[in-house]
Amino acid sequence: MGSFALLAATLLSAWTLFSKELQVAQALDNGVAKLPVLGYNTWNAYHCDINETVVLQAAKLMVSLGLSDVGYKHVNIDDCYAEKNRSASGDIVADKERFASGMNHLTKQIHDLGLKAGIYSDSGWFTCQLYPGSYQNEARDAKLFQDWGFDYLKFDNCAVPYDHIIREGIVGKYKRMADAIQELSKKSGKPPLIFSLCEWGEEQPWLWARRYGQSWRTTGDISPNWGSIANIINQNSFIAWASDFHGHNDMDILEIGNGDLTHEEAKTHFTAWALMKSPLLIGTDLSTISDDDLAILKNEEILAISQDPVVGTSVTPFRWGINPDWVSNSTHPAQYWSGESQNGTVFMLINTLDEPADLFFSLTESPWIRAGRQYSVRDLWTHTDNGTAVRNFTAHAVPPHGVVALLLKDAGDEPPNAGPPCARAEWCIDRNGTLAPGA
């Protein structure tokens, strides 16, 4: 009887812990950032050279350029908005010169445009530019950000306290602010701040960060060149499974409009970020953006996949192409990707070479394609219907570092005599037990 009681107590304890974990996960599924956040961030364009005029101008351009109409709703202030010291009462203080009108005035203007406002802080003593961080002030700062009118918090990973002070790993360090945000929401009755964990992929956040926030950075900082874009795609190819509703791998702020990216590279950059369900935060000076770059950011067929309300998962590689499958290569990431959507199967093909290339695949290499069926082909960049694919598809002369994005929809049974008995010959067998040719 004693052993049974001990077993029962152990099982009850385990269930209690499991139930608490479930409650934490469910608490994040509260209508905040179910889909990847679309918006603007000041860092890549301005770094520390920000003020209320710059931020408000970006917000107004989001509206006048039609970006808000296609879903970009957040205007996020990054580092360097604060005074170097907290107030006598312990609060972060907005820079009195650069944000002279105050944060409440700024967020009201942003909200009046039909947009949402985001702010930045750090899980350590200081931000990465040595402004006040939020360590040991998590509850105070979360309330301040809410009182200022912000809807979103990017939380960085600099200025880590000594071990004997923090006595936590990176998980516990981010849990502190996550707990403060959830507690504030309960007390205030307001939606929680969207919580974006910016810890650069340290300690595998794709395994744990969805407990605490709605997105998590997966790599170090992006740069406006093809090498950086290819490297980030490569690193994320192995963890693309982690994105789903309410929790997304964050591949970093977009560089479209910056640096020396070619038009094709910019399209690949945007397509990969969107179809892999990363947040899409514009990071260029919108007052000087080109029509071509603006058209990339406003591709509504690509954005529809990003913002699919029915399917929250990312495209994933079904074949790496140049490299053997599951081999990491920072200059030649996976080339052949597919995923589900509410309207069909999405394919992304990337030419990682420095010269044009044909990209060929068999439809049933993707797990989302049915054998024995034919599929209509929609090109999400040319915005054209390109006939019907049976068994195979070839994208011809894809430009260097270019991309092809397709939406395939089931168009019925494939025609008679479309090819061998099985598109994939392995273990293809007649009901009488005879292996098909090539099996």
Side-chain angles (χ1 to χ4, degrees):
M1 188 67 180
S3 298
F4 177 78
L6 179 60
L7 175 62
T10 301
L11 291 173
L12 178 61
S13 176
W15 170 248
T16 300
L17 290 172
F18 180 63
S19 298
K20 288 180 178 178
E21 287 298 314
L22 287 178
Q23 289 168 9
V24 169
Q26 291 169 353
L28 295 180
D29 296 352
N30 54 10
V32 174
K34 173 184 177 181
L35 303 176
V37 168
L38 273 59
Y40 186 89
N41 179 283
T42 59
W43 185 255
N44 285 359
Y46 301 105
H47 298 282
C48 279
D49 191 18
I50 57 171
N51 56 53
E52 59 189 28
T53 301
V54 165
V55 175
L56 189 58
Q57 179 191 46
K60 290 178 177 178
L61 285 166
M62 295 244 313
V63 175
S64 64
L65 293 173
L67 290 163
S68 64
D69 291 336
V70 297
Y72 294 93
K73 296 296 185 184
H74 288 261
V75 180
N76 299 339
I77 302 170
D78 212 283
D79 204 352
C80 308
Y81 63 85
E83 297 283 348
K84 284 289 186 176
N85 296 299
R86 290 177 176 266
S87 69
S89 60
D91 285 333
I92 292 173
V93 179
D95 188 289
K96 295 181 178 65
E97 293 184 5
R98 290 183 290 125
F99 292 88
S101 301
M103 288 300 188
N104 289 101
H105 180 71
L106 179 59
T107 58
K108 183 181 186 305
Q109 289 180 293
I110 292 172
H111 289 150
D112 286 347
L113 292 169
L115 304 173
K116 296 183 179 180
I119 194 66
Y120 167 98
S121 191
D122 194 286
S123 58
W125 294 121
F126 304 98
T127 71
C128 297
Q129 300 300 313
L130 300 182
Y131 291 86
S134 290
Y135 182 66
Q136 294 185 343
N137 285 283
E138 290 85 2
R140 171 190 291 275
D141 291 353
K143 185 176 186 305
L144 176 68
F145 299 146
Q146 185 188 75
D147 290 346
W148 275 350
F150 288 102
D151 312 284
Y152 173 111
L153 173 62
K154 173 182 174 180
F155 210 51
D156 223 330
N157 191 34
C158 292
V160 180
Y162 289 166
D163 289 356
H164 76 274
I165 295 174
I166 192 168
R167 299 189 187 279
E168 291 278 8
I170 196 168
V171 177
K173 189 155 66 86
Y174 276 88
K175 182 178 183 296
R176 294 171 65 96
M177 180 55 85
D179 287 347
I181 289 171
Q182 293 301 323
E183 185 63 26
L184 175 64
S185 178
K186 291 177 184 176
K187 289 181 178 179
S188 68
K190 298 179 179 179
L193 295 167
I194 296 171
F195 190 34
S196 172
L197 290 75
C198 182
E199 38 53 90
W200 326 312
E202 301 285 342
E203 297 188 30
Q204 306 174 87
W206 44 90
L207 299 180
W208 53 266
R210 71 166 53 249
R211 301 177 191 175
Y212 305 127
Q214 289 73 41
S215 66
W216 47 89
R217 277 278 298 280
T218 56
T219 68
D221 288 353
I222 193 172
S223 297
N225 58 70
W226 174 249
S228 177
I229 302 304
N231 181 45
I232 292 173
I233 294 172
N234 174 63
Q235 292 186 61
N236 279 269
S237 67
F238 302 97
I239 57 171
W241 50 265
S243 284
D244 206 338
F245 293 137
H246 297 284
H248 303 98
N249 289 332
D250 180 355
M251 298 165 69
D252 206 359
I253 305 164
L254 295 169
E255 290 282 18
I256 295 159
N258 301 332
D260 58 359
L261 290 175
T262 68
H263 182 64
E264 297 299 330
E265 289 168 349
K267 285 169 58 180
T268 302
H269 174 21
F270 182 72
T271 304
W273 266 236
L275 301 192
M276 294 172 74
K277 305 296 177 82
S278 172
L280 300 176
L281 296 175
I282 299 165
T284 195
D285 181 351
L286 288 175
S287 69
T288 61
I289 191 170
S290 70
D291 290 343
D292 284 346
D293 286 336
L294 186 61
I296 290 173
L297 295 170
K298 292 174 67 175
N299 185 330
E300 293 187 63
E301 292 194 74
I302 296 291
L303 289 170
I305 306 300
S306 163
Q307 300 294 293
D308 191 327
V310 177
V311 178
T313 49
S314 164
V315 294
T316 55
F318 61 84
R319 176 154 48 94
W320 262 248
I322 289 175
N323 305 295
D325 291 349
W326 300 103
V327 171
S328 177
N329 186 324
S330 62
T331 57
H332 295 289
Q335 295 182 279
Y336 298 88
W337 305 63
S338 69
E340 297 178 282
S341 82
Q342 64 174 326
N343 294 316
T345 302
V346 182
F347 284 84
M348 178 173 71
L349 315 176
I350 301 174
N351 177 15
T352 64
L353 299 175
D354 298 331
E355 59 189 18
D358 293 346
L359 298 177
F360 167 89
F361 65 94
S362 297
L363 300 189
T364 53
E365 288 186 80
S366 166
W368 314 116
I369 291 292
R370 297 169 60 191
R373 309 287 286 181
Q374 59 186 331
Y375 285 81
S376 65
V377 180
R378 175 74 176 177
D379 189 311
L380 303 182
W381 277 109
T382 63
H383 308 298
T384 55
D385 296 319
N386 293 357
T388 303
V390 179
R391 296 283 179 108
N392 305 311
F393 183 88
T394 301
H396 295 282
V398 180
H401 306 163
V403 71
V404 175
L406 306 170
L407 182 64
L408 270 61
K409 295 185 181 182
D410 193 310
D413 289 339
E414 66 183 19
N417 304 315
C422 298
R424 305 187 73 171
E426 184 180 10
W427 262 106
C428 181
I429 194 168
D430 190 278
R431 65 187 301 171
N432 67 14
T434 303
L435 285 171

